[in-house]
Amino acid sequence: MMRAVLSFVTGSLVPAALAQVPVPFSTEQDRFMVFANGRFEQMEPRPPMSTHAMEGQLAYRDHEGRLKLFLPEGRRLHLLDQGGGEPRGTRRRIAWQSHDTLKGIREGRSHVLAVNVAHFDVSDSLVVVHDSALHELRVIHRGVHHPVAAIERGSERPQWLLSRDMLVVFNKEARRLTLFHAGRLRTLCDSTDLGVAVAGGGVVAWWDGHARVFKALHAGKEHELSDLRPASAQAGDGLVAFVDGNGRLKCFDRGVTHRVLDEVPSAYWVKDSLLLYMDRGRLMLFRNGSSMMVEPYVPERWQVEGALLAYLDMNRELRGVAGGERFRFGSEAAIRGFELFGDRVVYRSPLGHMVVATRRRAWVY
């Protein structure tokens, strides 16, 4: 993919509240467990090859390579596929290839999404497939297949960027940037030689080479963000962060552009609805038009889902920030690591047991 021509950047976009995401983990005895609906369930006697937790269901490939689906509601376990490729997707949807057939999940069972698939990608509401027989790029939206680009034999496959609800396609020959959103196709611009394009949940931003303007489309309205080509940009859920041509960090957040920092940050990250950045060695968080210091250093490990930030502090205590409020997960220090699933964290206690915790409660196995 020709990233020198167009840089596609996006974050993993997860809705703000994911309280019903099952929490998978393996015990010291290598038993594969899941915490869901307030109870611990033993799934397998050996750790899985991979897991993919979604809202209200958990897909995993067991130690023998079989793809299975656990539904906590009703405590049901289904075999999805005896083999196949590794699933990819989001907290709401996954898909996987079995040879050149693309499969997904419908009502707890596997079903065929497309055949003759050379490449694919998955988001909350869209599936993109490169059909090797029809030589076209298609997007599947609400079960309907929409052709979005022809792919001539011997030509480079088109670049695309997939966010929660948007598909952006770059046609190198036509220098055209095309958007698929809410079941419709539209051209964003036809001059992107030196462009930057990013897409997030409900927002897409791009450099218009003819107008010489960095633009954003949000809620059906175009906004001019800068008359200088940005040095970099990232998109999240309703926001776009970028370093403008003057070296300032800015953030377009649901229709309003904010100046976040008057210099180039050492690093910045957009994850879901949060912008995090480094300022003089401090980890800062920007949300809803204002910044706050998370810590005067960058934590060794941190994760974001929705509007929740979880991280290990210097004492290796597990901390969280949500809605500007700070809190602590559990009551232990010296925690080696953790994983975040929706609004819950899971970690191994220094005492050896496994702990699943929210900001208000903890369960111990």
Side-chain angles (χ1 to χ4, degrees):
M1 298 178 68
M2 304 295 289
R3 296 189 183 276
V5 177
L6 186 68
S7 175
F8 280 162
V9 186
T10 187
S12 68
L13 303 176
V14 184
L18 292 174
Q20 300 304 312
V21 177
V23 179
F25 63 91
S26 295
T27 68
E28 282 189 319
Q29 294 76 31
D30 281 344
R31 296 189 184 96
F32 177 45
M33 306 290 298
V34 174
F35 179 81
N37 292 343
R39 62 185 296 160
F40 293 94
E41 305 273 2
Q42 180 173 325
M43 306 302 302
E44 304 282 346
R46 294 175 61 183
M49 297 174 64
S50 62
T51 63
H52 195 104
M54 295 173 282
E55 293 181 21
Q57 52 189 350
L58 171 73
Y60 68 93
R61 196 170 292 284
D62 70 12
H63 60 280
E64 294 182 341
R66 296 169 298 191
L67 185 62
K68 298 178 179 179
L69 181 72
F70 173 63
L71 302 171
E73 192 67 33
R75 301 172 69 188
R76 293 174 292 158
L77 184 64
H78 298 294
L79 176 64
L80 296 176
D81 205 320
Q82 290 283 357
E86 195 60 36
R88 70 177 72 158
T90 69
R91 289 287 190 236
R92 295 191 172 184
R93 175 196 297 242
I94 63 168
W96 68 97
Q97 275 188 264
S98 181
H99 302 291
D100 65 350
T101 298
L102 186 65
K103 298 180 180 180
I105 299 173
R106 177 186 295 163
E107 298 178 352
R109 307 286 184 175
S110 65
H111 75 110
V112 174
L113 292 169
V115 295
N116 303 314
V117 175
H119 308 279
F120 75 98
D121 207 350
V122 185
S123 73
D124 281 355
S125 58
L126 303 173
V127 178
V128 183
V129 297
H130 172 186
D131 189 308
S132 59
L134 297 177
H135 306 290
E136 66 181 13
L137 188 70
R138 287 183 285 132
V139 59
I140 306 172
H141 176 245
R142 295 181 177 177
V144 179
H145 290 236
H146 302 264
V148 293
I151 305 174
E152 300 296 334
R153 291 180 181 272
S155 66
E156 298 180 45
R157 67 184 180 97
Q159 290 179 269
W160 73 75
L161 170 64
L162 185 63
S163 74
R164 172 165 55 85
D165 55 357
M166 292 182 170
L167 170 67
V168 178
V169 180
F170 175 64
N171 184 306
K172 181 180 178 181
E173 288 77 15
R175 303 163 59 198
R176 183 179 299 117
L177 205 62
T178 304
L179 171 70
F180 179 91
H181 179 55
R184 299 179 59 187
L185 273 172
R186 62 167 288 182
T187 298
L188 292 177
C189 71
D190 56 6
S191 178
T192 58
D193 281 349
L194 298 176
V196 172
V198 293
V203 64
V204 58
W206 70 97
W207 173 252
D208 189 318
H210 282 315
R212 309 296 296 174
V213 171
F214 185 50
K215 297 179 178 180
L217 176 66
H218 176 258
K221 182 179 178 181
E222 286 192 10
H223 303 260
E224 294 189 1
L225 306 187
S226 175
D227 57 0
L228 296 176
R229 181 181 182 273
S232 63
Q234 298 181 35
D237 197 1
L239 62 86
V240 175
F242 62 99
V243 175
D244 71 8
N246 292 316
R248 296 170 296 196
L249 178 63
K250 294 183 176 181
C251 183
F252 172 79
D253 187 6
R254 293 169 177 82
V256 180
T257 302
H258 306 269
R259 184 184 294 184
V260 180
L261 192 64
D262 285 330
E263 58 190 45
V264 179
S266 302
Y268 72 100
W269 309 268
V270 176
K271 299 290 290 183
D272 300 346
S273 62
L274 301 182
L275 163 61
L276 293 118
Y277 62 97
M278 288 180 60
D279 178 21
R280 289 168 289 179
R282 305 172 299 174
L283 181 64
M284 306 292 293
L285 184 152
F286 180 88
R287 186 172 183 266
N288 294 336
S290 62
S291 292
M292 65 176 287
M293 185 178 71
V294 178
E295 294 289 351
Y297 55 88
V298 178
E300 176 185 330
R301 179 169 178 78
W302 55 268
Q303 287 184 262
V304 170
E305 287 215 27
L308 169 62
L309 166 67
Y311 67 94
L312 286 173
D313 69 10
M314 291 188 71
N315 297 320
R316 306 195 74 82
E317 297 174 357
L318 194 46
R319 304 283 181 176
V321 180
E325 179 185 349
R326 299 174 181 269
F327 54 91
R328 185 177 176 183
F329 291 103
S331 58
E332 297 173 293
I335 298 171
R336 293 184 178 180
F338 73 95
E339 295 294 334
L340 178 62
F341 296 93
D343 66 345
R344 297 170 177 172
V345 295
V346 60
Y347 64 90
R348 188 181 303 279
S349 163
L351 300 176
H353 49 256
M354 299 299 299
V355 179
V356 177
T358 65
R359 61 194 297 179
R360 296 182 177 89
R361 186 176 177 184
W363 296 262
V364 177
Y365 180 83

